[in-house]
Amino acid sequence: MSGETNLSVLLASMEPVLSTQLYVYCVVSERQLAHLSLSKIHGMFREKEGVTVIISKAYAQEADINYQGDYRCITLNVHSSLEAVGLTAAFAAALGEEGLSANVVAGYYHDHIFVQNECADKALQCLIKLSQSHQGA
């Protein structure tokens, strides 16, 4: 299952879904990471400055971890190939035109876009509109 690579098909069938969960970005040391529950980490990436983890706001507060912002996740329910060209650029441009930031995490099957909580509904509508504009094309 290698996923879709045709940009027109990807855009037309994105099926964006907005989570209800509030997420936060945190930077933790390797030592702190060892004490976090893997099942509670939604995403992570190692950087030279530390390990970035994406976790629920509730878990960050429970674990007393400093964090930045409140984000919601929009998952694109199309199985996009990791080799697909242009999908990220297309939705980032659409969101950018609306003045919305996008923090993108690509999973094996789907793209996940973390947007500021206060802009989440507007971002979802923007992505739905983008998808609809490519349907039947």
mmCIF file of all heavy atoms in Angstrom, residues 55-82:
data_model
loop_
_atom_site.group_PDB
_atom_site.id
_atom_site.type_symbol
_atom_site.label_atom_id
_atom_site.label_comp_id
_atom_site.label_asym_id
_atom_site.label_seq_id
_atom_site.Cartn_x
_atom_site.Cartn_y
_atom_site.Cartn_z
ATOM 1 N N ILE A 55 2.077 16.416 22.642
ATOM 2 C CA ILE A 55 1.259 15.674 23.600
ATOM 3 C C ILE A 55 -0.007 16.469 23.895
ATOM 4 O O ILE A 55 -0.101 17.653 23.547
ATOM 5 C CB ILE A 55 2.036 15.390 24.909
ATOM 6 C CG1 ILE A 55 2.540 16.686 25.546
ATOM 7 C CG2 ILE A 55 3.194 14.425 24.654
ATOM 8 C CD1 ILE A 55 3.287 16.492 26.874
ATOM 9 N N SER A 56 -0.954 15.819 24.530
ATOM 10 C CA SER A 56 -2.170 16.545 24.892
ATOM 11 C C SER A 56 -1.830 17.607 25.930
ATOM 12 O O SER A 56 -0.894 17.449 26.734
ATOM 13 C CB SER A 56 -3.227 15.587 25.446
ATOM 14 O OG SER A 56 -2.864 15.145 26.740
ATOM 15 N N LYS A 57 -2.572 18.664 25.895
ATOM 16 C CA LYS A 57 -2.362 19.735 26.866
ATOM 17 C C LYS A 57 -2.572 19.200 28.285
ATOM 18 O O LYS A 57 -1.808 19.520 29.197
ATOM 19 C CB LYS A 57 -3.313 20.898 26.590
ATOM 20 C CG LYS A 57 -3.128 22.076 27.508
ATOM 21 C CD LYS A 57 -4.036 23.222 27.124
ATOM 22 C CE LYS A 57 -3.809 24.418 28.038
ATOM 23 N NZ LYS A 57 -4.655 25.559 27.629
ATOM 24 N N ALA A 58 -3.570 18.342 28.439
ATOM 25 C CA ALA A 58 -3.859 17.777 29.756
ATOM 26 C C ALA A 58 -2.671 16.970 30.281
ATOM 27 O O ALA A 58 -2.311 17.073 31.457
ATOM 28 C CB ALA A 58 -5.112 16.902 29.689
ATOM 29 N N TYR A 59 -2.033 16.177 29.416
ATOM 30 C CA TYR A 59 -0.886 15.375 29.843
ATOM 31 C C TYR A 59 0.307 16.266 30.185
ATOM 32 O O TYR A 59 1.018 16.014 31.158
ATOM 33 C CB TYR A 59 -0.515 14.346 28.778
ATOM 34 C CG TYR A 59 0.607 13.416 29.193
ATOM 35 C CD1 TYR A 59 0.524 12.677 30.366
ATOM 36 C CD2 TYR A 59 1.742 13.281 28.416
ATOM 37 C CE1 TYR A 59 1.544 11.822 30.758
ATOM 38 C CE2 TYR A 59 2.771 12.425 28.792
ATOM 39 C CZ TYR A 59 2.669 11.700 29.970
ATOM 40 O OH TYR A 59 3.680 10.866 30.349
ATOM 41 N N ALA A 60 0.513 17.319 29.417
ATOM 42 C CA ALA A 60 1.606 18.262 29.709
ATOM 43 C C ALA A 60 1.409 18.886 31.080
ATOM 44 O O ALA A 60 2.354 19.010 31.864
ATOM 45 C CB ALA A 60 1.688 19.335 28.636
ATOM 46 N N GLN A 61 0.183 19.258 31.379
ATOM 47 C CA GLN A 61 -0.102 19.858 32.681
ATOM 48 C C GLN A 61 0.061 18.832 33.796
ATOM 49 O O GLN A 61 0.642 19.121 34.845
ATOM 50 C CB GLN A 61 -1.501 20.469 32.679
ATOM 51 C CG GLN A 61 -1.599 21.683 31.784
ATOM 52 C CD GLN A 61 -3.018 22.196 31.603
ATOM 53 O OE1 GLN A 61 -3.989 21.441 31.701
ATOM 54 N NE2 GLN A 61 -3.130 23.484 31.308
ATOM 55 N N GLU A 62 -0.414 17.605 33.551
ATOM 56 C CA GLU A 62 -0.296 16.525 34.536
ATOM 57 C C GLU A 62 1.170 16.197 34.829
ATOM 58 O O GLU A 62 1.542 15.970 35.974
ATOM 59 C CB GLU A 62 -1.010 15.285 33.984
ATOM 60 C CG GLU A 62 -0.867 14.028 34.786
ATOM 61 C CD GLU A 62 -1.431 12.828 34.034
ATOM 62 O OE1 GLU A 62 -2.504 12.962 33.414
ATOM 63 O OE2 GLU A 62 -0.789 11.774 34.058
ATOM 64 N N ALA A 63 1.994 16.196 33.768
ATOM 65 C CA ALA A 63 3.420 15.855 33.915
ATOM 66 C C ALA A 63 4.275 17.070 34.256
ATOM 67 O O ALA A 63 5.494 16.945 34.361
ATOM 68 C CB ALA A 63 3.918 15.195 32.624
ATOM 69 N N ASP A 64 3.651 18.235 34.386
ATOM 70 C CA ASP A 64 4.341 19.482 34.720
ATOM 71 C C ASP A 64 5.458 19.799 33.717
ATOM 72 O O ASP A 64 6.592 20.086 34.096
ATOM 73 C CB ASP A 64 4.891 19.428 36.151
ATOM 74 C CG ASP A 64 5.254 20.813 36.678
ATOM 75 O OD1 ASP A 64 4.620 21.806 36.248
ATOM 76 O OD2 ASP A 64 6.183 20.913 37.502
ATOM 77 N N ILE A 65 5.084 19.751 32.437
ATOM 78 C CA ILE A 65 6.026 20.029 31.349
ATOM 79 C C ILE A 65 5.672 21.382 30.745
ATOM 80 O O ILE A 65 4.503 21.647 30.438
ATOM 81 C CB ILE A 65 5.949 18.940 30.259
ATOM 82 C CG1 ILE A 65 6.299 17.571 30.848
ATOM 83 C CG2 ILE A 65 6.864 19.269 29.090
ATOM 84 C CD1 ILE A 65 6.041 16.429 29.898
ATOM 85 N N ASN A 66 6.668 22.240 30.564
ATOM 86 C CA ASN A 66 6.439 23.527 29.910
ATOM 87 C C ASN A 66 6.061 23.283 28.463
ATOM 88 O O ASN A 66 6.609 22.395 27.806
ATOM 89 C CB ASN A 66 7.693 24.393 29.972
ATOM 90 C CG ASN A 66 8.005 24.841 31.388
ATOM 91 O OD1 ASN A 66 7.107 25.033 32.197
ATOM 92 N ND2 ASN A 66 9.280 24.993 31.687
ATOM 93 N N TYR A 67 5.174 24.098 27.960
ATOM 94 C CA TYR A 67 4.717 23.928 26.584
ATOM 95 C C TYR A 67 4.410 25.272 25.955
ATOM 96 O O TYR A 67 4.350 26.292 26.634
ATOM 97 C CB TYR A 67 3.485 23.024 26.520
ATOM 98 C CG TYR A 67 2.285 23.543 27.293
ATOM 99 C CD1 TYR A 67 1.392 24.438 26.724
ATOM 100 C CD2 TYR A 67 2.060 23.125 28.606
ATOM 101 C CE1 TYR A 67 0.301 24.903 27.423
ATOM 102 C CE2 TYR A 67 0.975 23.589 29.319
ATOM 103 C CZ TYR A 67 0.090 24.472 28.727
ATOM 104 O OH TYR A 67 -0.995 24.942 29.437
ATOM 105 N N GLN A 68 4.197 25.211 24.635
ATOM 106 C CA GLN A 68 3.849 26.411 23.890
ATOM 107 C C GLN A 68 2.538 26.183 23.147
ATOM 108 O O GLN A 68 2.375 25.182 22.465
ATOM 109 C CB GLN A 68 4.934 26.753 22.884
ATOM 110 C CG GLN A 68 4.591 27.970 22.040
ATOM 111 C CD GLN A 68 5.641 28.281 21.002
ATOM 112 O OE1 GLN A 68 6.765 27.824 21.090
ATOM 113 N NE2 GLN A 68 5.266 29.043 20.014
ATOM 114 N N GLY A 69 1.621 27.126 23.271
ATOM 115 C CA GLY A 69 0.405 27.161 22.479
ATOM 116 C C GLY A 69 -0.597 26.062 22.751
ATOM 117 O O GLY A 69 -0.354 25.129 23.502
ATOM 118 N N ASP A 70 -1.747 26.240 22.132
ATOM 119 C CA ASP A 70 -2.821 25.243 22.120
ATOM 120 C C ASP A 70 -3.102 24.948 20.661
ATOM 121 O O ASP A 70 -3.445 25.862 19.902
ATOM 122 C CB ASP A 70 -4.108 25.796 22.735
ATOM 123 C CG ASP A 70 -4.009 26.046 24.226
ATOM 124 O OD1 ASP A 70 -3.164 25.415 24.870
ATOM 125 O OD2 ASP A 70 -4.802 26.852 24.727
ATOM 126 N N TYR A 71 -2.969 23.697 20.271
ATOM 127 C CA TYR A 71 -3.152 23.321 18.877
ATOM 128 C C TYR A 71 -4.193 22.227 18.750
ATOM 129 O O TYR A 71 -4.399 21.430 19.665
ATOM 130 C CB TYR A 71 -1.826 22.815 18.281
ATOM 131 C CG TYR A 71 -0.758 23.876 18.268
ATOM 132 C CD1 TYR A 71 0.094 24.054 19.350
ATOM 133 C CD2 TYR A 71 -0.614 24.729 17.179
ATOM 134 C CE1 TYR A 71 1.058 25.041 19.355
ATOM 135 C CE2 TYR A 71 0.353 25.729 17.174
ATOM 136 C CZ TYR A 71 1.182 25.871 18.272
ATOM 137 O OH TYR A 71 2.130 26.861 18.264
ATOM 138 N N ARG A 72 -4.837 22.201 17.600
ATOM 139 C CA ARG A 72 -5.723 21.103 17.246
ATOM 140 C C ARG A 72 -5.145 20.463 15.995
ATOM 141 O O ARG A 72 -4.437 21.112 15.220
ATOM 142 C CB ARG A 72 -7.133 21.612 16.956
ATOM 143 C CG ARG A 72 -7.750 22.381 18.112
ATOM 144 C CD ARG A 72 -8.833 21.698 18.890
ATOM 145 N NE ARG A 72 -9.946 21.174 18.171
ATOM 146 C CZ ARG A 72 -11.037 21.862 17.821
ATOM 147 N NH1 ARG A 72 -11.141 23.140 18.091
ATOM 148 N NH2 ARG A 72 -12.010 21.260 17.197
ATOM 149 N N CYS A 73 -5.432 19.211 15.809
ATOM 150 C CA CYS A 73 -4.882 18.467 14.687
ATOM 151 C C CYS A 73 -5.950 18.223 13.629
ATOM 152 O O CYS A 73 -7.042 17.735 13.943
ATOM 153 C CB CYS A 73 -4.337 17.125 15.186
ATOM 154 S SG CYS A 73 -3.582 16.125 13.890
ATOM 155 N N ILE A 74 -5.614 18.571 12.396
ATOM 156 C CA ILE A 74 -6.466 18.236 11.258
ATOM 157 C C ILE A 74 -5.768 17.106 10.517
ATOM 158 O O ILE A 74 -4.640 17.264 10.041
ATOM 159 C CB ILE A 74 -6.673 19.436 10.316
ATOM 160 C CG1 ILE A 74 -7.343 20.597 11.062
ATOM 161 C CG2 ILE A 74 -7.489 19.009 9.093
ATOM 162 C CD1 ILE A 74 -7.458 21.877 10.260
ATOM 163 N N THR A 75 -6.438 15.971 10.435
ATOM 164 C CA THR A 75 -5.896 14.826 9.721
ATOM 165 C C THR A 75 -6.524 14.765 8.337
ATOM 166 O O THR A 75 -7.740 14.878 8.194
ATOM 167 C CB THR A 75 -6.188 13.513 10.479
ATOM 168 O OG1 THR A 75 -5.515 13.575 11.735
ATOM 169 C CG2 THR A 75 -5.709 12.293 9.702
ATOM 170 N N LEU A 76 -5.671 14.623 7.330
ATOM 171 C CA LEU A 76 -6.160 14.434 5.966
ATOM 172 C C LEU A 76 -6.333 12.929 5.778
ATOM 173 O O LEU A 76 -5.370 12.177 5.825
ATOM 174 C CB LEU A 76 -5.177 15.007 4.947
ATOM 175 C CG LEU A 76 -4.832 16.487 5.114
ATOM 176 C CD1 LEU A 76 -3.912 16.947 3.996
ATOM 177 C CD2 LEU A 76 -6.093 17.345 5.175
ATOM 178 N N ASN A 77 -7.557 12.498 5.573
ATOM 179 C CA ASN A 77 -7.856 11.068 5.546
ATOM 180 C C ASN A 77 -7.606 10.398 4.208
ATOM 181 O O ASN A 77 -8.086 9.296 3.979
ATOM 182 C CB ASN A 77 -9.273 10.812 6.025
ATOM 183 C CG ASN A 77 -9.349 10.878 7.531
ATOM 184 O OD1 ASN A 77 -8.481 10.365 8.217
ATOM 185 N ND2 ASN A 77 -10.371 11.528 8.049
ATOM 186 N N VAL A 78 -6.853 11.039 3.352
ATOM 187 C CA VAL A 78 -6.428 10.394 2.112
ATOM 188 C C VAL A 78 -5.082 9.734 2.390
ATOM 189 O O VAL A 78 -4.242 10.293 3.090
ATOM 190 C CB VAL A 78 -6.330 11.406 0.946
ATOM 191 C CG1 VAL A 78 -5.315 12.497 1.221
ATOM 192 C CG2 VAL A 78 -6.035 10.702 -0.361
ATOM 193 N N HIS A 79 -4.897 8.525 1.866
ATOM 194 C CA HIS A 79 -3.612 7.830 2.050
ATOM 195 C C HIS A 79 -2.643 8.371 1.011
ATOM 196 O O HIS A 79 -2.585 7.902 -0.117
ATOM 197 C CB HIS A 79 -3.792 6.320 1.903
ATOM 198 C CG HIS A 79 -2.510 5.553 2.053
ATOM 199 N ND1 HIS A 79 -2.429 4.229 1.792
ATOM 200 C CD2 HIS A 79 -1.256 5.924 2.423
ATOM 201 C CE1 HIS A 79 -1.194 3.800 1.979
ATOM 202 N NE2 HIS A 79 -0.464 4.822 2.364
ATOM 203 N N SER A 80 -1.881 9.367 1.421
ATOM 204 C CA SER A 80 -0.921 9.996 0.520
ATOM 205 C C SER A 80 0.398 9.248 0.575
ATOM 206 O O SER A 80 0.844 8.820 1.634
ATOM 207 C CB SER A 80 -0.707 11.463 0.899
ATOM 208 O OG SER A 80 -0.298 11.584 2.241
ATOM 209 N N SER A 81 1.006 9.107 -0.588
ATOM 210 C CA SER A 81 2.324 8.486 -0.668
ATOM 211 C C SER A 81 3.360 9.417 -0.055
ATOM 212 O O SER A 81 3.254 10.643 -0.154
ATOM 213 C CB SER A 81 2.680 8.218 -2.131
ATOM 214 O OG SER A 81 4.037 7.871 -2.268
ATOM 215 N N LEU A 82 4.377 8.842 0.545
ATOM 216 C CA LEU A 82 5.473 9.654 1.054
ATOM 217 C C LEU A 82 6.233 10.321 -0.090
ATOM 218 O O LEU A 82 6.968 11.283 0.123
ATOM 219 C CB LEU A 82 6.419 8.799 1.896
ATOM 220 C CG LEU A 82 5.828 8.304 3.220
ATOM 221 C CD1 LEU A 82 6.751 7.280 3.868
ATOM 222 C CD2 LEU A 82 5.553 9.450 4.159
#
